[in-house]
Amino acid sequence: MKAKTPASRIVTQILLVAGSLVFLFPLLWMVGTSLKPIEETMRTPPQWIPSHFLFSNYLDAVTYGSKALGYVPFLEYAKNTLLLCILGVVGTVFANALVAYGFARFRFPGRGVLFALTLATMMIPFPVLMVPLFGLFRDLGWIGTFKPLWIPAWFGSAFNIFLLRQFFLTIPRDLTDAAIVDGCSEFAAFRHIILPLSKPALAVVALFHFLFTWNDFLGPLIYLTDQKMFTLSLGLQFYQSQHGGTEWNLLMAAATIVVLPVIVLFFFTQRTFIQGIAITGLKG
């Protein structure tokens, strides 16, 4: 491969910085608007920097009251979202790791066909499944509860199973075989040998599911009926007025609070996350 010259490196870095600014622009605009007085939020031409920074907008956003709901229970929505994230992450890591280990280590008739069918489920878009799933959860009496939003995570998903299977295939079989010869059960070998070695891949699966649940809007919109049980993504709609006059500074402040935990989480886990992505792509 031809080595890059200093000039090409500079051009590449300039393009990367320019691309980053394009993606950062909505985030910077959101944060800037969250600190503006209301009269500066929709000014034409746009005022990029607030005349004075109103950090109190964040406190006002948390204690905001809307005509539709009276008081928006922002902290209650945060608690609901966090609860769903924790239950979903625990379930998806445990279930997907168990199924992926079975596909990676056990040989049984029809394994290839079953794995192909599992992967084929990724081709089915959610709108196709939405009505049957709603009917199923309605018959189970789960509509209006959190159950449809976290219990399915305990049954695995094709993408996560594929991701973890690829990682498990990179772990030498001799490690578990030696433990089994020494009297360890297959499940104990999975728990005490495979799982500790798979932390990067498990972190990727956990982070993906956390982000999905944290940002999920359609699921809570379909299955939740009590406003007090709403999640943050669904609760943000109460900051928008249906008849104009939306307080954009408070809406942007609430949106910033919702986005901040995701950014902080990725900041602290990016090394493990990138390592997991890189490792899982080594072996097919």
Side-chain angles (χ1 to χ4, degrees):
M1 181 180 293
K2 187 177 179 180
K4 289 186 176 180
T5 63
S8 65
R9 287 197 188 96
I10 293 174
V11 171
T12 303
Q13 290 173 359
I14 291 174
L15 291 176
L16 289 175
V17 170
S20 301
L21 290 176
V22 171
F23 285 99
L24 273 176
F25 174 75
L27 182 64
L28 295 175
W29 177 255
M30 178 179 70
V31 175
T33 305
S34 70
L35 296 170
K36 293 177 181 176
I38 182 63
E39 60 272 13
E40 295 179 4
T41 56
M42 301 299 288
R43 181 170 292 176
T44 306
Q47 183 172 341
W48 303 101
I49 300 176
S51 58
H52 57 283
F53 294 89
L54 284 181
F55 293 97
S56 59
N57 285 342
Y58 286 87
L59 179 61
D60 294 340
V62 174
T63 58
Y64 181 71
S66 72
K67 292 181 180 178
L69 192 60
Y71 165 66
V72 178
F74 187 88
L75 297 180
E76 192 71 19
Y77 294 163
K79 189 183 74 174
N80 296 338
T81 307
L82 196 59
L83 175 65
L84 290 174
C85 286
I86 293 172
L87 291 174
V89 166
V90 172
T92 200
V93 169
F94 176 75
N96 288 300
L98 208 58
V99 176
Y101 183 74
F103 278 124
R105 292 305 173 93
F106 297 123
R107 299 188 180 279
F108 51 88
R111 184 182 69 162
V113 175
L114 194 59
F115 185 63
L117 288 174
T118 302
L119 295 184
T121 60
M122 286 194 295
M123 304 298 130
I124 305 174
F126 179 71
V128 175
L129 302 174
M130 191 165 56
V131 174
L133 282 177
F134 183 86
L136 174 64
F137 294 147
R138 181 195 57 199
D139 294 341
L140 292 172
W142 289 1
I143 301 300
T145 70
F146 289 141
K147 292 177 182 177
L149 300 174
W150 67 269
I151 288 182
W154 288 73
F155 291 87
S157 70
F159 177 75
N160 291 331
I161 290 170
F162 172 75
L163 201 67
L164 291 175
R165 174 185 173 272
Q166 299 304 102
F167 186 85
F168 292 157
L169 288 174
T170 66
I171 300 175
R173 180 181 285 271
D174 294 345
L175 290 177
T176 52
D177 288 346
I180 292 172
V181 168
D182 289 340
C184 189
S185 67
E186 188 76 43
F187 183 77
F190 166 72
R191 180 184 173 189
H192 296 293
I193 297 176
I194 298 297
L195 289 184
L197 292 174
S198 307
K199 287 179 180 176
L202 296 175
V204 171
V205 170
L207 189 58
F208 274 154
H209 191 81
F210 181 90
L211 294 177
F212 168 77
T213 305
W214 188 268
N215 298 321
D216 187 22
F217 177 80
L218 191 57
L221 179 66
I222 295 173
Y223 301 124
L224 298 180
T225 54
D226 187 350
Q227 291 178 336
K228 292 182 180 178
M229 298 178 68
F230 283 1
T231 57
L232 285 173
S233 59
L234 201 56
L236 285 178
Q237 65 178 317
F238 293 117
Y239 290 85
Q240 293 180 290
S241 171
Q242 303 298 320
H243 309 288
T246 298
E247 297 189 73
W248 291 102
N249 53 345
L250 300 187
L251 175 60
M252 293 298 108
T256 303
I257 296 173
V258 172
V259 170
L260 191 60
V262 177
I263 296 176
V264 172
L265 179 64
F266 181 78
F267 179 78
F268 283 106
T269 61
Q270 59 176 327
R271 177 173 293 182
T272 305
F273 179 74
I274 294 173
Q275 182 185 4
I277 288 289
I279 293 174
T280 51
L282 290 179
K283 185 173 182 179

